[in-house]
Amino acid sequence: MRLAFSTLGMPGAGLDEAIETGRRAGCAGLELRLHPDTGVHAGLGRRERLSVRRRVEEAGLEIAALAGYVGVCEPGDDDAVAGALRADLELAADLGAPGVRVFPRGDDPALGARRIGAVHGTAAELGVRVLVETHDKMPTGAAVAALLAEAGGPATAGALWDLLHPWRAGESPAATLAALGPFLAYVQVKDAVSAADTTPVPMGTGSVPLEEAGGLLRAAGYRGWVSLEWERTWYPQVAPVEEILPGAAAWIRRFGA
């Protein structure tokens, strides 16, 4: 497994500060949140994109993924959703990121599958994958797997397992991993007070079944990215991400295949 962390954990910080935090913590990569506040988004020009990529690479890091906000199952116009997704995929290719996180934001797998199918060609041409997160109205591995099975194109669309949400929805880590199976392309790790109170807490001090999930990933031989998603943007009262990264690194050392 390779450790990254999401810039969601550094509200108000610039890219250079995130790079330095990752470098000091021994991370291999960064998960870049796509938002005007972070300075990384699809509206960047060519020169700005090259600058982002150069700064990350010169620090010896990689961009593990882009954390986008497109809702592939969200009600609305297909062309608008597919267009926004294409723009994020093109940004990922320019930055050297292997994938773009998307949310379901709806519960109609046929709708999401149609939109993902519409960008298969773009994703294949660019060498970038759509990463559907276990989140919101499709929080379980079973739901995301059904969407991806209908969408087809396993080389261009995969699953992002956020360890919190399937568990909150009552799906065990073993069931999640079994459902996602060959679709699994990326993992987000975090701990929280409880299923009802998702306030972030340091790794191993909350209720998310991190030990069980880690053991399952190790047994499955998972060797991909694991990103610490420390949600300080939504919970500004919690500790800085710098204080949490050592726990994530220790988890990787314990369970890394």
Side-chain angles (χ1 to χ4, degrees):
M1 302 184 200
R2 307 182 70 203
L3 177 62
F5 79 95
S6 171
T7 54
L8 185 70
M10 298 186 69
L15 177 62
D16 291 334
E17 186 176 348
I19 289 170
E20 182 60 19
T21 296
R23 191 190 62 77
R24 286 198 307 265
C27 293
L30 297 176
E31 179 186 311
L32 299 182
R33 179 185 179 228
L34 299 187
H35 194 277
D37 289 349
T38 69
V40 182
H41 52 83
L44 294 183
R46 180 67 177 169
R47 181 177 297 179
E48 295 166 310
R49 296 176 184 219
L50 291 174
S51 173
V52 170
R53 182 168 185 166
R54 174 184 55 77
R55 286 147 65 194
V56 173
E57 290 178 348
E58 286 181 351
L61 300 176
E62 298 177 36
I63 299 176
L66 302 185
Y69 288 90
V70 171
V72 293
C73 301
E74 190 168 13
D77 180 68
D78 279 8
D79 289 341
V81 173
L85 185 49
R86 284 192 189 94
D88 285 352
L89 291 169
E90 290 166 358
L91 176 64
D94 288 340
L95 299 185
V100 174
R101 187 276 307 278
V102 300
F103 287 140
R105 296 204 191 282
D107 56 8
D108 183 353
L111 181 59
R114 187 167 69 240
R115 289 161 171 177
I116 292 172
V119 302
H120 277 325
T122 299
E125 181 180 351
L126 297 173
V128 178
R129 296 181 86 182
V130 178
L131 304 174
V132 183
E133 182 172 339
T134 53
H135 197 271
D136 55 78
K137 293 188 177 182
M138 291 188 179
T140 64
V144 169
L147 166 61
L148 290 169
E150 187 165 350
T156 54
L160 188 162
W161 180 11
D162 181 315
L163 299 186
L164 174 67
H165 298 297
W167 167 73
R168 286 185 67 214
E171 186 179 66
S172 71
T176 302
L177 185 57
L180 294 180
F183 298 117
L184 182 62
Y186 197 90
V187 174
Q188 285 179 341
V189 65
K190 65 184 73 169
D191 209 346
V193 173
S194 68
D197 180 357
T198 57
T199 302
V201 294
M203 297 275 291
T205 67
S207 301
V208 178
L210 297 175
E211 296 295 306
E212 181 182 357
L216 289 164
L217 287 167
R218 180 175 57 196
Y222 178 75
R223 298 181 182 276
W225 287 105
V226 173
S227 178
L228 171 66
E229 190 182 46
W230 183 244
E231 297 182 329
R232 199 177 189 213
T233 294
W234 314 131
Y235 300 87
Q237 76 277 15
V238 301
V241 72
E242 294 91 332
E243 297 180 17
I244 309 304
L245 275 165
W251 188 88
I252 290 282
R253 288 193 297 271
R254 191 157 64 252
F255 297 110

